[in-house]
Amino acid sequence: MTFPRFSLPRRTLALGLLLSLSASALAAETTRYLALVDGGKRAGQQVVTRADDGTVTVEFVFKDNGRGPELKETYTLAEDGTYRRYAVQGTSTFGAKVEESFQRDGDTVSWKTKSDHGQMKVSGTALYSPLGGTPAGLSVALGALAQRSDGRLPLLPGGSLSSRKLGEAQVTRDGKSQTVQLLALTGQGFTPNFVWATQEARPRVFALIYPGFLQLIEDGWQANADALETRQKAAEGELLVDLRKKLGHDFAGATLITDVRVFDSEKATLGAATDVLVRDGKIVAVGKAGKDIQPERRIDGRGKTLLPGLFDMHGHVSRWDGGLNIAAGVTTVRDMGNDNATLQQMIGEIRDGTLMSPNVVPAGFIEGESDYSARNGFVIKNLDEAKKAVDWYSEHGYPQIKIYNSFPKAVLRDTVAYAHSKGMRVSGHVPAFLRAQDVVDQGFDEIQHINQLLLNFFVDDKTDTRTLQRFYLVAEKTAGLDLDSKPVQDFIDTLAAKKIAIDPTLATFEFLHQREGELSPIFVAVDSHLPPDVQRGRRAAEMNIPDDATWQRYNKSYDKAVEFVGRAYKAGVPLLAGTDEVPGFTLQHELALYVRAGLTPAQALQVATWNAAKVARVDGDRGSVSVGKRSDLILIDGDPTRDIGDLRKIALVLQGRTAYFPSEVYAQLGVKPFAAPAKVVPAK
């Protein structure tokens, strides 16, 4: 998958993203917004029509990578700019039905969605936050917030929203111009949301930009989108620099961690208590320190476990992912598809020490041209273009490429061979009209996602897996798959014999069987630590599961998927731990699923450290607690080799010579910490 996972409920494109108009105006009016990807390619639109009586109707469609929401919304506003009546219907990104309503009568509000419902008494202004709404909600919020003298807008069912102005820009169109303002909104999700708004008494959205992915802008003004994106990236960069300065602690000189048990990631064993000395970002000694050692600081490791920094082997990183990753002990992410310019910028910022982020190992994304194409990296039509893409990635130091759904199968074998001739690994999805066995035969070194593996048994050369079929076929049919059958055993044996790595992202695919109203399994173990709006948002299902019989079938299919991964690992298939979902928490759940699949906790930790470093080709400087390697280390208040859940209890993260305390990072993100910070004693 390459669709970004925003920090807010996944059914929406953010808090609600786009536009509404003041109900106090009388004239009917229609406003159109365009959704642009890949440097201007149209991927959807939103049309907002306000009737003479003030009723607003919104029609929103967004399609990218063969999926996306289709929603129709209607509402009326009260005098304070909040919803008086609200309703939305349609389908979510993965096909779940959306049906939601809200109303306010005096001081009584009530709402009903597919996953929750409620009624409560409210005094004064409060804005309902739609769970499955269109991008229209953001303009409603902006208009209501502008009327608040205290600068805070109470939200329903809970929380509040505030904004901060970051700057202005002049935009032009057909000889006309206007000034728009960049706002950072806080109070929902883990990180700020950014919007370009008009400068009116009741502002509305002018443009909403996710750098490197999406530009949602009022029709007719799209020529200004790139300049606005550049300005926004610079403004976000200033906030991110300040955030790293606030949360990153310089551990220059020597740091001694005493009486700590060290996880040997190469052997998947936990050693006896010892000392570990690091100096200026490098591990310089593992063993009991002599009395002559005079470090700048000491850390008491008694009762704690020291691990190499974790790897997330399937990320699509953004500049705001760093907090959730670092707090979860993830110090390296393999990026599996991104806007190339955006990723190169991030890599430079990480290198320069201005961005709080795991280090990035990039995989070069190559897609084929089609109506279903994902617009990351390079989108090619023939072998010559594919080779040029491989050349660019090779010249920029990418150790591998990733092939995607619409890649033309006629040039697949030659492209794989060409990448191999450059010394690069090849992984990816299985292109449409092929099976996993076919890409193995054509030289793939690795396959992404459990559904791409299991589709091997359900598709033929006429099945178009660029559609939602790539999810529903697996949900429907895996329940009936005999894992002891010869086709399954032969496939696993082939993967093992050829050492074809699998990156199943099991945690991500929990959505295959999640029902409306049930919290995503990714968050079940941490729900009491999450912001209330995140908890609510992650109770919305993504698949269309209309009845108990369907759920039982999908649930059984998911159980079989987990079992398949366990069987593959035991057969000798290289296993990688990746997420493609909300950073940090998803990796922790992924490793718990590997334990459920039959791995020991120590084996699961080995997968996310030593094994990952080898596949990412960075085992020379990270992946184990070894002398000479980077001091990418995590100190855990517990023993995750016995209880994989202890992996959340991180007291300290070292990334080179920078130290982070997850308790501080989580507090910044609105998350209740899982462990007290490690006690650091400065030298006397």
Side-chain angles (χ1 to χ4, degrees):
M1 300 180 188
T2 58
F3 192 80
R5 306 291 187 174
F6 301 113
S7 60
L8 298 172
R10 289 164 66 183
R11 267 191 186 164
T12 62
L13 240 66
L15 158 61
L17 300 172
L18 196 52
L19 100 114
S20 78
L21 302 169
S22 169
S24 62
L26 297 177
E29 186 176 359
T30 296
T31 307
R32 183 186 304 271
Y33 288 68
L34 300 182
L36 308 174
V37 298
D38 193 33
K41 182 179 176 62
R42 183 168 167 177
Q45 68 176 14
Q46 180 165 259
V47 179
V48 179
T49 303
R50 187 192 60 226
D52 291 341
D53 64 358
T55 300
V56 178
T57 302
V58 185
E59 294 185 0
F60 177 69
V61 177
F62 178 77
K63 298 294 181 182
D64 181 68
N65 188 14
R67 59 182 185 259
E70 297 186 27
L71 301 168
K72 185 172 182 178
E73 190 175 57
T74 59
Y75 56 82
T76 59
L77 301 180
E79 288 300 317
D80 63 1
T82 63
Y83 294 117
R84 177 181 287 119
R85 298 285 186 273
Y86 172 88
V88 62
Q89 292 184 327
T91 55
S92 70
T93 296
F94 292 91
K97 291 182 179 179
V98 176
E99 189 173 339
E100 180 173 3
S101 61
F102 166 85
Q103 63 181 14
R104 179 168 183 171
D105 294 311
D107 289 342
T108 301
V109 300
S110 59
W111 69 93
K112 184 177 182 180
T113 76
K114 298 288 286 184
S115 59
D116 74 343
H117 61 88
Q119 180 174 307
M120 59 192 299
K121 292 289 186 179
V122 177
S123 177
T125 294
L127 176 69
Y128 177 67
S129 181
L131 186 60
T134 75
L138 190 50
S139 280
V140 176
L142 291 176
L145 183 58
Q147 299 185 61
R148 298 286 297 178
S149 60
D150 61 358
R152 300 186 69 85
L153 176 64
L155 298 175
L156 298 172
S160 64
L161 189 71
S162 59
S163 70
R164 172 186 172 189
K165 184 174 179 179
L166 301 181
E168 296 181 350
Q170 196 78 10
V171 293
T172 60
R173 167 193 176 185
D174 300 329
K176 301 177 182 179
S177 67
Q178 64 174 307
T179 300
V180 292
Q181 56 183 329
L182 178 62
L183 304 176
L185 302 180
T186 56
Q188 287 220 320
F190 297 114
T191 57
N193 289 282
F194 301 91
V195 57
W196 289 96
T198 58
Q199 299 207 105
E200 303 171 89
R202 289 191 178 185
R204 62 173 176 82
V205 173
F206 176 77
L208 183 79
I209 295 174
Y210 289 91
F213 172 65
L214 172 66
Q215 299 169 336
L216 193 61
I217 189 167
E218 189 174 336
D219 191 11
W221 299 87
Q222 52 265 41
N224 298 276
D226 288 345
L228 293 179
E229 179 166 336
T230 298
R231 291 284 298 275
Q232 180 175 323
K233 287 168 70 174
E236 289 187 40
E238 293 177 5
L239 296 180
L240 288 161
V241 168
D242 291 341
L243 186 64
R244 189 189 184 283
K245 288 179 179 177
K246 178 179 180 180
L247 298 175
H249 303 270
D250 186 6
F251 271 25
T255 300
L256 183 65
I257 306 172
T258 61
D259 297 316
V260 68
R261 300 188 72 184
V262 176
F263 178 66
D264 184 335
S265 58
E266 186 173 357
K267 297 178 181 177
T269 58
L270 186 63
T274 189
D275 299 341
V276 175
L277 180 67
V278 303
R279 180 179 288 113
D280 294 327
K282 294 286 186 182
I283 301 170
V284 296
V286 179
K288 280 297 182 179
K291 294 182 179 180
D292 57 334
I293 297 294
Q294 298 297 324
E296 275 71 18
R297 63 198 64 82
R298 292 175 181 266
I299 299 171
D300 186 355
R302 284 177 296 179
K304 296 180 173 59
T305 305
L306 191 68
L307 270 70
L310 301 176
F311 283 68
D312 181 342
M313 292 294 279
H314 196 126
H316 298 280
V317 295
S318 79
R319 298 164 88 194
W320 289 95
D321 286 349
L324 287 174
N325 270 319
I326 292 295
V330 177
T331 57
T332 301
V333 171
R334 183 177 62 167
D335 186 275
M336 296 303 293
N338 218 313
D339 172 71
N340 289 333
T342 300
L343 186 60
Q344 289 297 305
Q345 177 186 350
M346 281 189 61
I347 290 173
E349 291 171 339
I350 295 167
R351 182 184 60 245
D352 295 341
T354 61
L355 182 66
M356 179 175 64
S357 171
N359 289 292
V360 173
V361 176
F365 189 91
I366 310 179
E367 168 70 303
E369 183 63 65
S370 81
D371 291 339
Y372 300 100
S373 298
R375 299 287 164 176
N376 290 325
F378 290 95
V379 181
I380 62 95
K381 299 185 183 68
N382 52 49
L383 181 59
D384 182 59
E385 292 181 356
K387 286 184 174 181
K388 289 179 180 177
V390 171
D391 287 340
W392 190 92
Y393 288 128
S394 178
E395 291 164 3
H396 285 79
Y398 287 56
Q400 75 175 71
I401 61 169
K402 178 187 176 184
I403 302 293
Y404 209 63
N405 296 330
S406 292
F407 194 92
K409 63 181 182 179
V411 302
L412 181 60
R413 186 183 299 273
D414 288 341
T415 301
V416 172
Y418 187 71
H420 284 160
S421 75
K422 297 280 186 177
M424 304 173 76
R425 298 178 73 256
V426 178
S427 75
H429 288 204
V430 177
F433 313 113
L434 294 173
R435 298 181 306 129
Q437 183 65 56
D438 297 323
V439 300
V440 170
D441 292 342
Q442 296 193 42
F444 268 39
D445 302 294
E446 177 187 339
I447 297 174
Q448 266 69 55
H449 301 305
I450 187 62
N451 70 322
Q452 299 290 320
L453 292 159
L454 293 174
L455 284 168
N456 186 70
F457 310 107
F458 310 135
V459 302
D460 56 29
D461 60 2
K462 296 180 177 60
T463 309
D464 192 345
T465 52
R466 295 171 297 184
T467 69
L468 292 180
Q469 283 292 93
R470 67 183 185 269
F471 309 112
Y472 282 91
L473 277 174
V474 171
E476 286 282 351
K477 293 182 175 294
T478 306
L481 182 64
D482 182 359
L483 297 183
D484 291 315
S485 65
K486 189 175 188 301
V488 175
Q489 290 300 309
D490 286 350
F491 181 57
I492 290 176
D493 289 345
T494 299
L495 295 175
K498 293 189 173 183
K499 297 299 178 186
I500 308 300
I502 62 172
D503 166 28
T505 62
L506 283 174
T508 298
F509 280 85
E510 290 271 21
F511 77 83
L512 290 180
H513 67 129
Q514 181 192 351
R515 302 190 76 173
E516 293 285 5
E518 296 177 354
L519 184 64
S520 165
I522 293 171
F523 298 104
V524 166
V526 300
D527 63 332
S528 62
H529 292 258
L530 301 177
D533 64 290
V534 175
Q535 293 184 47
R536 180 177 182 241
R538 297 313 297 255
R539 292 183 184 276
E542 298 191 61
M543 296 282 283
N544 184 19
I545 305 177
D547 50 45
D548 287 343
T550 303
W551 176 78
Q552 290 172 5
R553 186 164 61 254
Y554 286 14
N555 195 53
K556 185 177 180 180
S557 288
Y558 186 77
D559 288 343
K560 284 274 187 81
V562 174
E563 184 181 352
F564 177 91
V565 170
R567 287 181 177 228
Y569 176 84
K570 291 175 183 177
V573 178
L575 176 61
L576 303 172
T579 59
D580 197 20
E581 239 278 14
V582 170
F585 296 123
T586 307
L587 183 68
Q588 294 165 346
H589 186 56
E590 183 79 7
L591 298 183
L593 286 169
Y594 293 172
V595 173
R596 173 177 154 188
L599 281 70
T600 67
Q603 288 172 330
L605 294 171
Q606 182 184 51
V607 165
T609 53
W610 178 254
N611 294 0
K614 288 192 297 181
V615 170
R617 298 180 177 177
V618 294
D619 53 311
D621 76 343
R622 69 195 92 160
S624 64
V625 184
S626 305
V627 173
K629 291 193 175 182
R630 294 170 51 93
S631 51
D632 284 4
L633 303 168
I634 56 177
L635 184 64
I636 296 173
D637 192 4
D639 181 2
T641 68
R642 288 181 174 270
D643 181 354
I644 197 66
D646 278 0
L647 191 59
R648 300 184 185 93
K649 302 174 183 177
I650 302 175
L652 176 71
V653 176
L654 283 176
Q655 188 185 30
R657 59 179 277 177
T658 303
Y660 296 97
F661 298 100
S663 57
E664 294 180 350
V665 178
Y666 277 137
Q668 187 71 30
L669 302 175
V671 176
K672 180 182 176 182
F674 297 87
K679 294 182 179 179
V680 180
V681 180
K684 296 181 179 179

